Amino acid sequence: MSLHSLWNRSVRTVSVYSHLPRDVQALAAARFINGLGRFVYPFLALLLTQRMGMSTAEAGTFVFFAAVSGIPGGLAGGKLADMFGRKRVLVTMQLAAAATILPGALLVHSIVVAYLIIGANFFNSAARPPSSALVTDRTTPDNRQVAFSFLYLGFNAGYAVGPLLAGFLFEHYAPLLFVGDALTTVCAAILTAAVVKESKPAAEDMARAAAINPDERPEDGGLMGVLLRRPLLLVFIVASLILNFVYAQSGFTLPLQLQGLFGGRGPVYFGVVMTINALSVVLFTAPLVSFSRRFRPLRNMQAVAALYAIGFGMLFFAHQVQYFILSVVIWSIGEVINATNVSVYIANRTPSSHRGRMNGFQPIIWGTGRAINAPIIGALIEHHPISSAWLLAFLLACAGGVLLLVLG
């Protein structure tokens, strides 16, 4: 294929985003700003162990509570979005997250920082359901996968730069991690408030959604009642939780392994690896979305399980940087497919009356996987080689894949 043909194909692939609603494009720009300033949370394990002198088990406990805080945050944000409107809740939660994380700049070596991060993660998690619900309101099943992938692409375009800068700040100007994180969150909130229109579907909006997709017909009752009437969605959530447990290794086990292998260069290498992750996402999202649209979301999720098994499992043997680079490219492809199909699968099976609350389950899927990962893996590597964590990741990815195959 000539360079000209490759360029034309890339342009056609990316052009699908130009037809999305203006509000979706604005939210994608806000996600870019959020990704650019994602400084603190990726370095949480290193902040706790290097700056505060915790053991890996103690750090795992705090990472657990930070992740768990996202569960009530997601539920609260989803419920409030259905009650008061998406935009109002989204902007409020973003500003609250910024106000919570900013004092960490003065308390870098204090245990108080850990509690601030826990609080900030609560508010950040509460901001995700109204954002996702707003995208669902503005789209149909025909363009929903493209819309969610654009938000995902926006965040990771910023995240391609953020960790690299954060790795430098961690070593030399740690307080600026908290300042930059807070300021970018405020900027994203201002953009959302200025450009995005409020959304709270009325009865006629719900009727139109149900006419297009019967699975989106409005229902009465609480969220648990809706889930019990949709058991396939519950099974899918369990499988996704397993895969997110595996993915959580990238934020806890990976930096600790790099620190153990490369000493003082470990944080820098971790920043490089995370930047490769974000660049891979930026480069692969559009073509992968274009390719995967021909398959059902469930089939795509089965591919995610295989990619996670290979990408994370190979780190059992990793002792050189090139192994980590190859690994991150493999599981980054899985990450793209996962991120652009989980939301679509859930949105297409969600009553229009419960979009905010159902989207609150996505932080639960992600947060619970991360929450139970940190203490389990922290305890495991206290008594066994750190490579054993990657063997467990391989086995669990296989188990998640089998569950998705059975569901299919």
Side-chain angles (χ1 to χ4, degrees):
M1 181 182 297
S2 68
L3 185 61
H4 183 264
S5 299
L6 183 62
W7 169 258
N8 287 338
R9 175 173 294 187
S10 300
V11 169
R12 287 195 301 270
T13 301
V14 176
S15 68
V16 298
Y17 298 128
S18 64
H19 303 294
L20 291 172
R22 180 170 178 263
D23 284 352
V24 175
Q25 295 176 345
L27 287 172
R31 292 280 182 98
F32 169 81
I33 297 171
N34 284 139
L36 188 65
R38 185 73 166 168
F39 289 169
V40 175
Y41 202 91
F43 284 82
L44 177 55
L46 293 176
L47 280 168
L48 296 175
T49 54
Q50 286 195 25
R51 291 289 187 266
M52 301 177 197
M54 293 185 185
S55 68
T56 54
E58 290 172 330
T61 300
F62 273 96
V63 173
F64 167 79
F65 283 112
V68 164
S69 69
I71 296 175
L75 292 174
K79 177 67 173 178
L80 292 171
D82 282 337
M83 292 176 61
F84 301 111
R86 326 306 196 194
K87 172 183 171 179
R88 183 178 293 110
V89 176
L90 171 58
V91 172
T92 300
M93 294 303 169
Q94 286 180 321
L95 293 176
T100 304
I101 201 69
L102 184 58
L106 303 175
L107 303 164
V108 174
H109 298 281
S110 170
I111 191 66
V112 175
V113 167
Y115 296 103
L116 293 176
I117 294 172
I118 290 171
N121 194 55
F122 172 90
F123 293 117
N124 280 321
S125 297
R128 281 191 285 269
S131 177
S132 298
L134 202 155
V135 172
T136 306
D137 292 342
R138 296 287 192 262
T139 57
T140 68
D142 291 334
N143 65 348
R144 200 161 279 159
Q145 186 180 26
V146 175
F148 277 109
S149 74
F150 192 41
L151 265 67
Y152 178 71
L153 178 62
F155 176 84
N156 282 280
Y159 198 57
V161 179
L164 196 61
L165 177 59
F168 173 79
L169 293 176
F170 179 86
E171 286 295 316
H172 303 286
Y173 307 101
L176 292 182
L177 289 173
F178 299 89
V179 175
D181 201 310
L183 288 179
T184 50
T185 302
V186 170
C187 290
I190 291 173
L191 174 62
T192 302
V195 179
V196 177
K197 295 180 180 178
E198 183 59 273
S199 176
K200 188 176 184 295
E204 56 270 23
D205 300 317
M206 297 181 188
R208 281 195 296 270
I212 297 172
N213 178 16
D215 284 337
E216 295 183 52
R217 65 187 182 279
E219 294 188 18
D220 296 324
L223 178 60
M224 291 311 301
V226 169
L227 284 171
L228 291 174
R229 291 191 292 272
R230 298 165 187 251
L232 293 181
L233 190 56
L234 276 176
V235 176
F236 179 81
I237 287 172
V238 171
S240 297
L241 188 150
I242 293 173
L243 294 179
N244 277 279
F245 177 96
V246 173
Y247 181 82
Q249 302 283 73
S250 65
F252 186 74
T253 310
L254 185 56
L256 296 176
Q257 185 182 26
L258 289 168
Q259 178 75 26
L261 287 173
F262 304 108
R265 300 294 297 171
V268 176
Y269 284 143
F270 178 60
V272 169
V273 166
M274 289 296 98
T275 296
I276 293 173
N277 166 235
L279 288 173
S280 298
V281 167
V282 171
L283 292 173
F284 297 149
T285 294
L288 281 173
V289 168
S290 180
F291 176 77
S292 64
R293 288 176 70 188
R294 69 190 72 179
F295 304 107
R296 292 180 301 145
L298 196 58
R299 180 70 67 186
N300 291 329
M301 291 300 296
Q302 293 164 2
V304 171
L307 289 164
Y308 280 7
I310 297 169
F312 289 110
M314 68 178 291
L315 292 178
F316 180 83
F317 307 99
H319 295 285
Q320 297 175 317
V321 174
Q322 55 264 37
Y323 286 100
F324 292 94
I325 294 174
L326 177 60
S327 168
V328 71
V329 172
I330 294 172
W331 55 258
S332 293
I333 294 173
E335 178 190 348
V336 171
I337 300 174
N338 178 74
T340 55
N341 283 274
V342 169
S343 297
V344 175
Y345 188 96
I346 293 176
N348 289 347
R349 288 158 181 79
T350 298
S352 54
S353 53
H354 289 67
R355 283 172 177 165
R357 282 164 282 183
M358 193 70 82
N359 275 296
F361 259 81
Q362 293 198 55
I364 291 178
I365 297 169
W366 186 36
T368 302
R370 289 186 302 158
I372 61 178
N373 176 279
I376 291 174
I377 299 301
L380 177 66
I381 62 181
E382 280 282 304
H383 305 287
H384 300 280
I386 199 168
S387 59
S388 61
W390 301 119
L391 177 60
L392 178 62
F394 171 79
L395 295 174
L396 286 175
C398 291
V402 170
L403 185 59
L404 290 168
L405 285 170
V406 173
L407 180 62

